[in-house]
Amino acid sequence: MERWHIDWQGWWVVFPYLETEAGFKLMPTAQYRDHVTAAKGRREGRRVFAGYPADFPNLEAVYPHLWAYLNTHEAALRGRENGKYRVGREDEWRWYDLARPQSLEASSGRKIVMQLLGRSSQGASDTMGNFFQAGGKGGGAYGVQLLDNALTKYFATLLSSHPADFFIKTSGIVYSGGYYSYADAYIRDLPIPASTSAQRDCLSRLARELTALTGELRGLEVQARDFPDSVSEERRGTGELPELDELGNLAQSAGLPQRLEANKVQEGGESLLGKPGEVTQRVGKGTLTLGAEHARLVREVLAQRRSIGRDELLALRVPERGADVRAYLDTLAGWRTRMAELRGEIGAREAELNDVVYNLYGLTTDERAVVERFLERF
């Protein structure tokens, strides 16, 4: 979680439920459709899927591939919660269920996802209800759902503003390392200023723009970090991928350390033993001799990653021809130019947002200065 951006890492939640008028219901399976729990003492057994309509589908019938996946991991799933779902236990029928299926409707709805701890407010709107968050009072993230969904982006801008951050930091608690809590206990008392529909529309627009700009920036940062592989993927998609070879096949290396650090690479002159135009880079006590264009590429890889393993570097697949390497470097330069533009645009939108919120709270110039000076320090 970060400001204006949810950094999804490709993790999926298996959600074996169907939405009904009564909320989400766990999908039954043929094995347990008519299952009755064992009677205990004076308590009679119960049919676990009692009340389900006759046409309510079984999980394996609707999602056969998901069912096959779950069956592959049945032993591990039954072993959760200290074996709570093992055969013979009261909850054996729930072995593919979430352990604590709570607030499913809220979690899958429109919300603001907030980082619990941060040096500043870190939140973003989940307008599609795509994200489930695993929180807890000690860390992680949690969701804030408004009674009026139309105000989600408006409230997200308030939470991300300097006045709100000032309020939360001066009324809450600070942890070691300069981290503050942005849990519900500390944002629930945030005063919500009166606003016109035009002001709310303005802030909602800024939220949309900041979300889009931050998403583009983070995407470019990932591409730059993954250079040159990211350029190759882009070229492959357009059918313009040049001939590639492993860097180790295009270079001579001697005595390179296991890990190459960007701040320990020294440029040498032209190699006396290599081909004309080759240069030697000194890395610690080792050397790397390769063509001038490939030497530039190595410098850029280290500049982006700061550190890379020797074997990983030499295994990078790079263009064979110098002209193609220069084209790769031009692509990276273009990404960097756009990233600088995006940071400027984000800064301008943030300033506009803060100005609108300051006006909503009716803060004077002197009061704004107090807030800004505080936030520069904390």
Side-chain angles (χ1 to χ4, degrees):
M1 263 313 306
E2 61 177 292
R3 193 177 186 83
W4 306 114
H5 185 64
I6 300 174
D7 184 21
W8 182 58
Q9 296 291 317
W11 290 88
W12 296 85
V13 175
V14 173
F15 193 72
Y17 304 87
L18 280 185
E19 189 171 12
T20 71
E21 292 183 357
F24 286 104
K25 287 185 173 294
L26 180 68
M27 298 182 71
T29 63
Q31 178 184 4
Y32 289 106
R33 181 92 190 204
D34 298 316
H35 181 72
V36 177
T37 60
K40 289 188 176 181
R42 297 182 179 179
R43 191 178 67 182
E44 296 183 356
R46 63 185 180 89
R47 183 168 170 261
V48 295
F49 291 107
Y52 275 49
D55 60 352
F56 200 97
N58 288 344
L59 177 62
E60 65 268 40
V62 181
Y63 301 113
H65 298 300
L66 171 60
W67 181 240
Y69 171 79
L70 291 172
N71 274 275
T72 301
H73 300 280
E74 180 177 357
L77 291 169
R78 285 192 181 277
R80 293 177 298 153
E81 304 287 311
N82 296 318
K84 181 178 180 180
Y85 311 107
R86 289 178 181 150
V87 175
R89 297 287 186 90
E90 183 176 2
D91 284 339
E92 65 171 272
W93 60 278
R94 288 185 53 216
W95 66 269
Y96 55 93
D97 191 7
L98 294 177
R100 294 171 180 78
Q102 300 168 337
S103 304
L104 298 183
E105 290 75 26
S107 293
S108 59
R110 179 181 291 190
K111 57 188 173 296
I112 301 167
V113 186
M114 291 288 296
Q115 189 74 34
L116 276 167
L117 295 177
R119 291 191 173 92
S120 61
S121 175
Q122 304 292 316
S125 299
D126 175 18
T127 55
M128 302 300 293
N130 289 334
F131 295 98
F132 278 67
Q133 60 286 335
K137 299 303 180 183
Y142 73 104
V144 178
Q145 190 173 54
L146 304 181
L147 295 178
D148 184 352
N149 280 333
L151 297 178
T152 299
K153 286 188 174 67
Y154 168 61
F155 191 63
T157 57
L158 291 182
L159 285 174
S160 299
S161 70
H162 282 184
D165 212 25
F166 176 82
F167 174 85
I168 293 168
K169 287 181 175 178
T170 53
S171 61
I173 57 175
V174 61
Y175 293 87
S176 61
Y179 286 88
Y180 290 83
S181 174
Y182 292 86
D184 56 348
Y186 300 105
I187 71 170
R188 67 175 54 180
D189 293 326
L190 177 69
I192 307 302
S195 58
T196 65
S197 60
Q199 289 170 321
R200 290 193 295 273
D201 288 345
C202 176
L203 289 175
S204 294
R205 171 186 60 81
L206 288 169
R208 288 192 300 272
E209 292 174 356
L210 283 162
T211 298
L213 292 169
T214 303
E216 184 183 353
L217 175 60
R218 295 295 175 259
L220 286 174
E221 287 172 343
V222 170
Q223 286 183 289
R225 184 193 66 207
D226 293 341
F227 177 84
D229 295 338
S230 52
V231 182
S232 295
E233 285 301 311
E234 189 176 82
R235 298 293 172 89
R236 185 176 286 109
T238 61
E240 300 175 353
L241 184 67
E243 292 295 324
L244 305 178
D245 197 358
E246 290 189 0
L247 184 65
N249 295 332
L250 304 172
Q252 300 176 49
S253 60
L256 290 178
Q258 289 287 335
R259 191 152 199 89
L260 286 71
E261 307 290 341
N263 60 358
K264 294 182 180 179
V265 176
Q266 298 178 4
E267 291 301 321
E270 290 193 6
S271 172
L272 298 178
L273 301 177
K275 300 176 183 177
E278 286 188 337
V279 297
T280 296
Q281 295 172 314
R282 183 167 294 279
V283 186
K285 295 181 180 180
T287 58
L288 186 65
T289 301
L290 62 177
E293 290 87 357
H294 290 96
R296 283 182 56 203
L297 184 142
V298 168
R299 289 198 299 272
E300 295 297 353
V301 169
L302 286 167
Q304 290 300 140
R305 307 192 192 189
R306 310 308 303 167
S307 158
I308 187 172
R310 178 191 62 198
D311 295 341
E312 182 183 357
L313 176 72
L314 296 178
L316 285 177
R317 295 189 62 79
V318 301
E320 295 179 356
R321 297 174 57 246
D324 292 324
V325 174
R326 289 194 294 273
Y328 269 49
L329 294 169
D330 288 343
T331 298
L332 177 62
W335 289 344
R336 285 177 173 161
T337 298
R338 179 55 182 158
M339 285 190 286
E341 294 171 351
L342 287 168
R343 293 186 183 103
E345 292 179 39
I346 289 170
R349 299 298 199 289
E350 291 270 12
E352 183 181 355
L353 181 154
N354 284 317
D355 189 55
V356 173
V357 177
Y358 277 134
N359 287 332
L360 286 177
Y361 282 108
L363 298 183
T364 66
T365 301
D366 288 342
E367 290 167 337
R368 297 184 188 196
V370 170
V371 172
E372 295 297 328
R373 285 198 300 269
F374 176 87
L375 294 179
E376 286 176 3
R377 295 183 59 194
F378 303 100

